[in-house]
Amino acid sequence: MPKKTKSEKTDSFEHSLKKLENIVQTLESGETPLDETLQKFEEGMKLVQFCHGKLNEAEKKLKILVKDKNGDYSLKDEE
Amino acid sequence: MTMDLFSSSPRHSKDDDEPDSSEIKIYSVVEITRHIKFLIEESFPSLVVRGEVSNLTRHSSGHIYFTLKDEMAQIKCVIWRSQAQQMTFSLNEGMKFLVRGKLSLYEKGGYYQITVSDIQPEGIGELQLAFEQLKKKLFAEGLFSEEHKKPIPEFPETVGIISSPTGAAVRDIVSVCRRRMPSVQLVLAPVKVQGDGAVDDIVRAVKDFDTYGNIDVLIIGRGGGSIEDLWAFNDEKVARAIYHCSIPTISAVGHEIDYTIADFVADVRAATPSAATEMAVPDESEVEQQLANLRYTLIQNMENTIGYYRDRLNHYEERYAFRRPENIIEQYRQQADDLERRISQQVVHCVRMNGQNLKHLENQLRTLNPRNTLKRGYTITHQRNKVVQRLHHLTEKEPATIEFYDGKSEIEIRKNSR
């Protein structure tokens, strides 16, 4: 399978966790001005919350991929 | 060859079918050929021959021609197109096969051949051979090469499943996913995983997921079974569909020991559907731990940063420059204190000085007190409650008072004289 990496969704858990890791790394390197540190800290805490929220999302049902006559796809609950 | 040979030969044959006939039967080529054809085809309606394939020719018509041979002899074989299309593997020169078919005679060529109805590799199973051949072919094309392997995302939000809706695989995938991270969305494309239509189902499902797009990772699989049961996952069309799929795929076919073409072409091969799910879906508690670590580090960092700047601030605060205003104030305060002290001293001094003055003045005053004069013997004359300082103020024939130091005397003024 040829590599065709899809553009990453910006609101994905993965993306958020990466951002969080980057922020922590940046802060760990020291030398960030106070204002920036504060701003990054706030952003980081928001990401932590977001990630927790994602993890706490309710258990999802198994969905079935359905293709209609027009070739459009939709998901429906499993019977 | 002479006619003699033909005319004389029947005489030696006493038990000929036609002993009375002196005539020799003369066949046309087609007659004798058909006769032989009849004999051969009647005698061997069906047979199985073991031999090695050589002189292999695939005709553009789709028929396959080859020679089956052993050390001593060889026999021509043909596989008609309709039969050839159903073969799962392809013939290779030098390989040994068991050929089932009918012996027939090709009239135009004048030779007999086996019309093959079934051919199987000797030693290994037919499917095994097909598997090895397809594996070799796709490997040569580069479908299995590492550089095409896409990484499996660490945190998928939606996992696609291509499997039988009623199979054990789906149940396993769902239960493992629930256990590890229930927030992950599972989407199933129900397919037949074996038998007629399975290949087309799987190929369509792969393409559907790819077109649909909102899938982070795809698990293609089924539970265990015989090599025939797993066969759809060894199909070339399935392999190519997986290869062209832009979603990272995990194959999970059968048990630990079962390897399929789908396993080689997928981005990752999992031993079982459960194992595939563990690869696709992270464990929530581990992620929580990771998140907690990041959060801790973040807070720690913030505190460190604040501490660092606080220290720097304190440091600056202690510098002389920042202390100057304080100094100035203190100096002024000291000056004020000083002035205050001096003022109060002054006041005290002043009071004291004035006190002395006062006493002095008092003394002076005391000496000026007219009564002191009375002490020395002088008197003061009062008339009509006024001190009389001059004679002409004194009225004759009226009473007056003479004040002495030690008392007063009422007198009567008789006559003033100048």
Side-chain angles (χ1 to χ4, degrees):
Chain A
M1 26 195 63
K3 271 182 195 165
K4 284 185 258 162
T5 10
K6 282 195 289 184
S7 62
E8 204 172 303
K9 289 170 269 180
T10 48
D11 62 338
S12 72
F13 183 88
E14 190 162 19
H15 183 83
S16 302
L17 200 77
K18 271 203 188 113
K19 246 165 89 179
L20 180 56
E21 275 169 351
N22 283 342
I23 285 173
V24 169
Q25 264 175 19
T26 312
L27 291 185
E28 267 181 341
S29 74
E31 301 306 304
T32 27
L34 184 62
D35 276 349
E36 198 184 326
T37 306
L38 262 170
Q39 180 210 320
K40 285 205 180 298
F41 174 76
E42 268 178 35
E43 195 186 348
M45 291 309 275
K46 270 181 199 154
L47 287 170
V48 168
Q49 278 184 342
F50 174 81
C51 288
H52 269 297
K54 277 271 175 194
L55 290 179
N56 293 338
E57 265 181 52
E59 178 170 312
K60 285 189 171 141
K61 280 188 174 171
L62 180 64
K63 302 267 186 181
I64 308 286
L65 184 68
V66 188
K67 188 181 183 182
D68 65 21
K69 281 169 258 159
N70 304 324
D72 294 327
Y73 293 96
S74 59
L75 298 182
K76 69 170 172 111
D77 284 337
E78 182 206 23
E79 295 98 52
Chain B
M1 286 205 242
T2 65
M3 286 307 284
D4 270 341
L5 186 62
F6 285 93
S7 57
S8 57
S9 60
R11 284 178 201 153
H12 301 293
S13 156
K14 292 258 172 22
D15 49 349
D16 195 86
D17 281 351
E18 300 164 54
D20 300 333
S21 169
S22 55
E23 285 298 309
I24 296 165
K25 168 127 175 98
I26 297 175
Y27 294 98
S28 70
V29 174
V30 65
E31 274 173 339
I32 187 63
T33 301
R34 286 199 175 144
H35 192 62
I36 296 169
K37 184 179 169 76
F38 177 78
L39 287 176
I40 290 175
E41 292 184 1
E42 277 297 290
S43 313
F44 301 99
S46 175
L47 78 174
V48 178
V49 183
R50 173 194 290 125
E52 193 182 301
V53 168
S54 68
N55 295 327
L56 183 65
T57 312
R58 278 172 241 272
H59 198 267
S60 58
S61 61
H63 309 320
I64 300 172
Y65 302 96
F66 62 97
T67 306
L68 203 63
K69 66 171 190 183
D70 58 20
E71 293 80 5
M72 307 293 288
Q74 57 182 5
I75 183 167
K76 287 177 184 292
C77 297
V78 60
I79 305 174
W80 302 125
R81 189 174 67 142
S82 57
Q83 205 67 37
Q85 280 172 338
Q86 286 173 28
M87 285 172 61
T88 50
F89 57 91
S90 54
L91 295 179
N92 286 345
E93 294 227 9
M95 280 189 64
K96 288 201 165 103
F97 289 90
L98 287 176
V99 171
R100 178 187 293 276
K102 287 194 308 192
L103 209 52
S104 65
L105 194 138
Y106 178 49
E107 296 170 26
K108 288 212 164 128
Y111 54 83
Y112 60 91
Q113 61 186 7
I114 299 173
T115 305
V116 179
S117 60
D118 190 18
I119 179 166
Q120 286 191 13
E122 204 187 18
I124 54 168
E126 144 188 34
L127 294 180
Q128 193 57 38
L129 177 67
F131 172 82
E132 294 299 340
Q133 286 176 341
L134 181 59
K135 185 176 153 191
K136 203 168 156 188
K137 175 179 168 188
L138 297 184
F139 177 81
E141 281 187 43
L143 262 68
F144 305 156
S145 70
E146 280 303 317
E147 72 211 52
H148 295 316
K149 303 288 186 195
K150 290 188 289 299
I152 304 299
E154 225 179 324
F155 302 101
E157 289 180 21
T158 309
V159 175
I161 307 165
I162 296 178
S163 197
S164 161
T166 54
V170 167
R171 284 202 306 277
D172 290 350
I173 292 170
V174 169
S175 86
V176 172
C177 182
R178 290 287 167 269
R179 197 183 67 226
R180 289 173 73 85
M181 195 174 283
S183 60
V184 166
Q185 175 74 70
L186 295 176
V187 180
L188 174 70
V191 295
K192 282 180 75 175
V193 290
Q194 66 188 74
D196 287 345
V199 167
D200 291 342
D201 266 16
I202 295 168
V203 168
R204 194 184 315 118
V206 171
K207 287 180 178 164
D208 279 351
F209 269 133
D210 206 10
T211 317
Y212 172 62
N214 299 327
I215 299 288
D216 300 312
V217 60
L218 199 53
I219 298 175
I220 302 176
R222 54 156 293 153
S226 67
I227 185 170
E228 287 83 6
D229 290 342
L230 307 185
W231 196 248
F233 296 89
N234 285 322
D235 189 274
E236 186 170 347
K237 281 182 277 183
V238 169
R240 293 195 187 278
I242 294 174
Y243 177 77
H244 288 294
C245 179
S246 65
I247 306 165
T249 49
I250 303 176
S251 71
V253 182
H255 299 302
E256 189 92 41
I257 49 158
D258 300 318
Y259 272 86
T260 61
I261 297 294
D263 290 329
F264 294 109
V265 77
D267 294 302
V268 176
R269 181 243 178 193
T272 61
S274 295
T277 318
E278 282 171 9
M279 286 177 185
V281 180
D283 193 19
E284 192 169 275
S285 57
E286 282 170 26
V287 183
E288 289 274 15
Q289 186 57 48
Q290 192 184 349
L291 209 53
N293 288 346
L294 283 171
R295 183 174 179 274
Y296 175 79
T297 317
L298 197 62
I299 292 173
Q300 201 65 22
N301 246 294
M302 193 66 232
E303 282 173 0
N304 286 349
T305 307
I306 290 173
Y308 167 74
Y309 282 107
R310 178 168 291 143
D311 285 352
R312 272 179 71 171
L313 206 56
N314 288 344
H315 179 68
Y316 286 135
E317 266 176 16
E318 282 162 16
R319 293 264 186 97
Y320 178 72
F322 273 98
R323 292 174 58 186
R324 245 182 78 82
E326 222 170 285
N327 267 354
I328 291 170
I329 289 168
E330 274 170 11
Q331 281 190 8
Y332 279 132
R333 183 168 291 144
Q334 201 173 345
Q335 204 176 341
D337 287 352
D338 200 29
L339 285 172
E340 188 190 333
R341 198 173 59 244
R342 280 162 64 190
I343 284 172
S344 57
Q345 277 176 358
Q346 204 58 42
V347 169
V348 168
H349 180 70
C350 186
V351 168
R352 195 174 295 148
M353 288 299 287
N354 284 336
Q356 284 175 4
N357 269 355
L358 199 61
K359 210 157 197 174
H360 184 64
L361 286 173
E362 191 190 333
N363 286 340
Q364 276 188 333
L365 211 56
R366 247 182 246 285
T367 54
L368 289 175
N369 188 334
R371 302 212 192 276
N372 282 348
T373 323
L374 298 184
K375 245 183 185 172
R376 281 186 270 133
Y378 295 96
T379 60
I380 299 165
T381 306
H382 301 264
Q383 193 174 47
R384 294 175 188 170
N385 291 324
K386 280 182 180 170
V387 172
V388 183
Q389 288 181 328
R390 296 290 179 263
L391 182 64
H392 64 268
H393 289 148
L394 196 63
T395 314
E396 292 174 349
K397 313 286 186 199
E398 266 194 29
T401 306
I402 300 171
E403 190 185 354
F404 291 90
Y405 178 69
D406 53 348
K408 289 174 185 173
S409 178
E410 301 294 326
I411 57 166
E412 179 90 18
I413 303 299
R414 274 192 305 213
K415 190 174 167 33
N416 292 338
S417 60
R418 223 161 273 246

